[in-house]
């Protein structure tokens, strides 16, 4: 007969699972972007349930079934916390009309009346109308696939996008499981990524393509860890062609697999990227122009940048983002190069920790940190002893308060609270690791 403590434990797990399911479903279907309280409260319940399940749910099959179910229930929920889907649909519709989305500003096309009635409706709800698209080719292919039913309503576009993302997320779960099986960690750590509310909401709720990027990147890592260099080139190139973020982590691969193998790998990745980016090579300056504007104009939920912005105001009386943005980008590059140097002098199997720190530096120095930017570090921390990205994924929900104000503006007290807690947790975890002399955490085996 089961003991009382066993029954209580089972009851807690069942309650946490139901709470997570109901909360995710509510967030996906009910609130709008400006309904902060209706986002915060269910998100708090979801994160609390997630935290309990991290400690109590160890059965991998149960984790997999729950993770896929949590994602599947959002397939038919139209993105309610982000309007990015309208730009995705716009780009896809242009491609179907034979118009290159990389070389035309949406505002110019509308003024020239070169778009359909469906595009007119999408344009009205789209953000960044005066910017060239910044979405790489693989993302564009998903946009094209999602708008294949020409002049279909946005609900159908959303469903097709989410079906593709659900497939990608399911594959990611199996890749994470495979990587964990060849690591020093237990396979139950799958739940860190699999059940994380932010990952589920931002990928399956708000159709952000960091989920696909993670899938391709981890698949490339899995191939590298098994010595399949040429096979790894394909998913690694696809990860960059989905989102550009993985490029900053490539230097570590040189030390991970050795220079000779890295040359073969990067040659393969380079050829594939040239093929995928071929449609925009002649107009690459427009694409890079929009990427550059990202560092010089956009700002949201930043940390160190906001401190420097305040200082710039005191000195010059106006926003110095055009100077501070590129400076922080160069500082990020220098810091990652330093981490790479440190990595070359340590155990090569600790690559996940260095990838995680590198991406963390990028986010800490960035001018814009949207919630979905944490999807990548959450995936990476699964293979380390650091849990601060998990805690950060709970805190960053507070950034949605900005959309509750009319007109939109940020509550800098909330931003300060978010980063104060984050930096304290990061400091404590770094201190604990140094005291244990285990700063470099084990990860999937290095190639021998």
């Amino acid at each position: 007969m089961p003991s009382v403590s066993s029954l209580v434990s089972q009851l807690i797990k069942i309650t946490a699972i139901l709470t997570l399911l109901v909360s995710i479903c509510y967030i996906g279907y009910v609130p709008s972007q400006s309904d902060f309280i209706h986002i915060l409260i269910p998100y708090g319940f979801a994160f609390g349930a997630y935290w309990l399940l991290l400690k109590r749910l160890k059965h991998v099959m149960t984790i997999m079934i729950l993770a896929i179910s949590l994602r599947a229930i959002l397939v038919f929920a139209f993105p309610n916390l982000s309007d990015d889907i309208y730009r995705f649909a716009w780009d896809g519709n242009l491609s179907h009309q034979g118009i290159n989305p990389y070389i035309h500003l949406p505002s110019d096309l509308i003024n020239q009346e070169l778009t359909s009635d469906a595009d007119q409706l999408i344009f009205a709800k789209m953000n960044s109308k005066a910017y060239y698209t910044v979405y790489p080719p693989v993302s564009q292919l998903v946009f094209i696939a999602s708008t294949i039913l020409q002049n279909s309503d946005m609900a159908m576009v959303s469903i097709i996008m989410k079906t593709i993302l659900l497939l990608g997320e399911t594959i990611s779960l199996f890749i994470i499981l495979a990587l964990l099986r060849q690591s020093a960690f237990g396979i139950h750590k799958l739940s860190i990524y699999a059940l994380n509310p932010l990952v589920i909401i931002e990928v399956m709720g708000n159709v952000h393509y960091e989920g696909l990027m993670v899938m391709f990147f981890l698949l490339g890592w899995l191939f590298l860890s098994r010595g399949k260099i040429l096979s790894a080139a394909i998913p690694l190139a696809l990860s960059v062609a989905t989102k550009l973020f993985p490029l900053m982590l490539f230097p570590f691969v040189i030390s991970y697999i050795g220079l000779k193998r890295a040359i073969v790998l990067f040659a393969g990745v380079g050829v594939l990227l040239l093929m995928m980016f071929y449609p925009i090579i002649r107009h690459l300056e427009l694409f890079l122009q929009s990427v550059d504007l990202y560092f010089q104009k956009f700002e949201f939920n930043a940390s160190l940048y906001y401190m420097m912005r305040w200082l710039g105001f005191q000195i010059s009386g106006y926003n110095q983002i055009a100077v501070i943005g590129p400076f922080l980008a160069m500082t990020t590059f220098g810091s990652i190069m330093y981490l790479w140097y440190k990595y070359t002098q340590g155990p090569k199997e600790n690559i996940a920790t260095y990838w995680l720190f590198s991406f963390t530096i990028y986010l800490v120095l960035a001018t814009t940190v949207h919630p979905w930017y944490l999807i990548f570090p959450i995936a990476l921390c699964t293979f380390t002893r650091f849990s601060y990205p998990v805690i950060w994924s709970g805190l960053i929900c507070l950034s949605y308060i900005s959309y509750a104000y009319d007109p939109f503006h940020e509550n800098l007290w909330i931003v300060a609270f978010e980063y104060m807690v984050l930096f304290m947790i990061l400091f404590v975890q770094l201190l604990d690791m140094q005291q244990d002399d285990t700063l470099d955490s084990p990860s999937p085996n290095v190639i021998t």
Side-chain angles (χ1 to χ4, degrees):
M1 183 176 179
S3 65
V4 173
S5 61
S6 177
L7 289 173
V8 170
S9 179
Q10 289 297 319
L11 181 61
I12 291 174
K13 279 193 285 189
I14 292 171
T15 302
I17 289 171
L18 291 175
T19 300
L20 188 56
L21 281 165
V22 172
S23 300
I24 293 295
C25 189
Y26 182 90
I27 294 171
Y29 283 89
V30 177
S32 65
Q33 193 180 51
S34 60
D35 294 331
F36 178 63
I37 296 300
H38 291 277
I39 298 170
L40 181 65
I41 293 176
Y43 191 90
F45 277 108
F47 196 83
Y50 165 65
W51 195 256
L52 284 173
L53 292 173
L54 285 180
K55 298 177 179 297
R56 296 175 178 270
L57 192 60
K58 307 297 182 183
H59 189 262
V60 171
M61 185 58 68
T62 303
I63 295 171
M64 289 288 284
I65 293 172
L66 178 57
I68 295 171
S69 299
L70 286 164
R71 287 159 172 79
I73 61 175
L74 296 182
V75 168
F76 298 99
F78 189 80
N80 56 351
L81 305 183
S82 170
D83 55 8
D84 287 345
I85 190 172
Y86 295 104
R87 183 58 185 253
F88 304 161
W90 172 273
D91 284 4
N93 283 341
L94 290 189
S95 295
H96 283 295
Q97 297 171 52
I99 302 173
N100 189 338
Y102 287 106
I103 63 175
H104 295 285
L105 294 173
S107 54
D108 288 345
L109 289 177
I110 285 294
N111 293 334
Q112 296 172 23
E113 298 182 354
L114 296 178
T115 53
S116 66
D117 291 341
D119 289 326
Q120 297 279 347
L121 295 174
I122 291 171
F123 180 84
K125 296 184 178 181
M126 187 171 59
N127 60 41
S128 302
K129 299 173 184 178
Y131 294 95
Y132 295 102
T133 187
V134 295
Y135 300 104
V138 170
S139 294
Q140 293 290 340
L141 285 176
V142 180
F143 303 163
I144 293 170
S146 302
T147 52
I148 195 168
L149 302 175
Q150 300 245 349
N151 296 322
S152 63
D153 61 18
M154 287 298 300
M156 182 55 65
V157 172
S158 172
I159 290 170
I160 297 174
M161 278 190 189
K162 291 190 174 190
T163 301
I164 295 170
L165 290 172
L166 175 61
L167 177 62
E169 282 287 273
T170 302
I171 294 172
S172 288
L173 297 179
F174 283 101
I175 295 170
I176 292 171
L177 195 56
L179 285 165
L180 285 171
R181 282 190 171 128
Q182 64 185 47
S183 77
F185 296 110
I187 55 177
H188 65 275
K189 285 198 74 179
L190 170 69
S191 59
I192 289 176
Y193 183 86
L195 305 182
N196 186 278
L198 180 137
V199 171
I200 298 166
I201 291 166
E202 296 299 347
V203 176
M204 291 305 304
N206 299 326
V207 292
H208 287 120
Y209 288 79
E210 275 73 7
L212 280 183
M213 177 193 71
V214 164
M215 180 199 73
F216 289 128
F217 185 84
L218 293 182
L219 181 58
W221 183 22
L222 181 62
F223 283 141
L224 287 179
S225 70
R226 295 179 176 180
K228 300 178 179 179
I229 306 302
L230 290 178
S231 297
I234 299 172
L236 287 177
L238 290 170
S239 71
V240 174
T242 304
K243 292 278 188 173
L244 300 178
F245 292 134
L247 279 174
M248 73 177 78
L249 306 183
F250 276 17
F252 298 91
V253 176
I254 299 172
S255 302
Y256 184 61
I257 63 177
L259 180 59
K260 290 183 179 179
R261 288 177 172 177
I263 291 173
V264 174
L265 174 70
F266 292 148
V269 170
V271 169
L272 290 169
L273 287 177
L274 282 173
M275 292 170 60
M276 287 185 281
F277 278 85
Y278 178 76
I280 63 171
I281 287 178
R282 288 191 306 160
H283 311 284
L284 192 59
E285 71 280 2
L286 300 179
F287 178 78
L288 295 177
Q289 175 185 323
S290 287
V291 173
D292 185 54
L293 280 172
Y294 174 86
F295 291 103
Q296 296 190 36
K297 194 161 186 179
F298 295 164
E299 50 188 34
F300 178 79
N301 194 43
S303 56
L304 295 183
Y305 161 70
Y306 281 169
M307 297 172 63
M308 295 181 70
R309 183 182 68 177
W310 176 85
L311 185 61
F313 268 115
Q314 305 310 306
I315 295 172
S316 65
Y318 60 91
N319 193 344
Q320 292 275 4
I321 187 173
V323 175
I324 299 172
F327 169 77
L328 290 175
M330 291 302 299
T331 304
T332 299
F333 175 78
S335 300
I336 291 175
M337 289 300 98
Y338 174 74
L339 281 179
W340 176 34
Y341 167 74
K342 296 292 291 183
Y343 174 65
T344 61
Q345 302 184 336
K348 301 304 178 285
E349 65 268 22
N350 301 323
I351 192 168
T353 299
Y354 285 89
W355 277 341
L356 175 60
F357 286 155
S358 296
F359 205 81
T360 300
I361 288 172
Y362 164 74
L363 293 177
V364 168
L365 296 178
T367 59
T368 302
V369 183
H370 289 297
W372 53 92
Y373 290 6
L374 295 190
I375 292 170
F376 200 15
I378 291 167
L380 291 174
C381 84
T382 303
F383 310 98
T384 76
R385 291 184 60 190
F386 291 90
S387 62
Y388 67 86
V390 172
I391 300 168
W392 194 1
S393 72
L395 291 167
I396 204 167
C397 174
L398 296 171
S399 66
Y400 274 102
I401 195 173
S402 303
Y403 301 101
Y405 299 115
D406 187 15
F408 168 93
H409 68 273
E410 289 191 84
N411 186 323
L412 295 183
W413 290 107
I414 293 293
V415 176
F417 172 77
E418 173 193 341
Y419 284 103
M420 250 188 347
V421 175
L422 171 65
F423 290 147
M424 284 192 297
I425 291 168
L426 179 56
F427 175 77
V428 169
Q429 291 190 0
L430 283 170
L431 193 62
D432 287 344
M433 296 301 165
Q434 288 178 338
Q435 288 176 346
D436 293 341
D437 197 27
T438 54
L439 180 60
D440 290 326
S441 49
S443 56
N445 296 328
V446 69
I447 297 170
T448 57

